[in-house]
Amino acid sequence: MLSIVGPSGSGKTTLLGLCAGLDSARAGSVRLCGQLLNDLNEDERAAVRNTHVGFIFQSFNSSPPDGLENVMIPAELKGQRDAAARAAMLLEKVGLQDRGHHYPNQLSGGEQQRVALARAFCNQPSILFADEPTGNPR
């Protein structure tokens, strides 16, 4: 485990975005799980992320679908047939087995955070990036 600390505005989120391949470096290079991200286009970086990365955004980035569908997104993008079953199992692991069909605006901040955690682990990532996992401003 590694923590990146610093004052607000110091670039922690930008660094995480670069390391996870969400952003492109303007200088230097970024290597993730053996892949030099600088040489990849956006679709190729997305494929590397979907294979190796789980990401918990500071704002959870819960999209309009319900909790179950939210957790399924990475597995569906990867073409996994058992996406719904895997998502249901992960929601159960985070204590939300009865809240999977609730939309983000129907969930508390803590519940949204647990949906985001389940989604981040959906593809069994090699590495998990969490942007201020204990400091959501809501």
Side-chain angles (χ1 to χ4, degrees):
M1 181 169 19
L2 174 72
S3 295
I4 301 169
V5 296
S8 181
S10 64
K12 300 179 299 292
T13 297
T14 300
L15 178 60
L16 284 179
L18 288 167
C19 291
L22 293 169
D23 300 317
S24 297
R26 285 185 237 148
S29 61
V30 177
R31 187 174 298 277
L32 175 64
C33 297
Q35 290 278 346
L36 187 60
L37 298 182
N38 305 58
D39 295 342
L40 306 178
N41 64 37
E42 179 54 40
D43 289 341
E44 293 166 331
R45 282 196 320 271
V48 170
R49 279 194 307 274
N50 200 26
T51 301
H52 298 289
V53 174
F55 203 102
I56 302 171
F57 296 90
Q58 184 176 356
S59 61
F60 310 137
N61 278 14
S62 296
S63 55
D66 64 30
L68 181 69
E69 291 171 328
N70 233 296
V71 176
M72 289 171 53
I73 290 171
E76 286 182 322
L77 290 173
K78 204 171 187 179
Q80 294 178 354
R81 293 183 184 174
D82 66 341
R86 178 142 183 76
M89 181 268 304
L90 287 165
L91 285 174
E92 183 176 344
K93 284 191 177 224
V94 297
L96 293 177
Q97 61 274 11
D98 297 330
R99 306 282 284 161
H101 294 292
H102 288 75
Y103 293 92
N105 65 351
Q106 297 172 313
L107 299 172
S108 71
E111 289 170 331
Q112 288 180 43
Q113 188 172 33
R114 288 186 279 158
V115 167
L117 183 64
R119 183 182 60 217
F121 278 105
C122 190
N123 282 344
Q124 300 173 301
S126 307
I127 186 166
L128 177 70
F129 292 99
D131 189 5
E132 297 197 30
T134 62
N136 188 279
R138 288 195 242 174

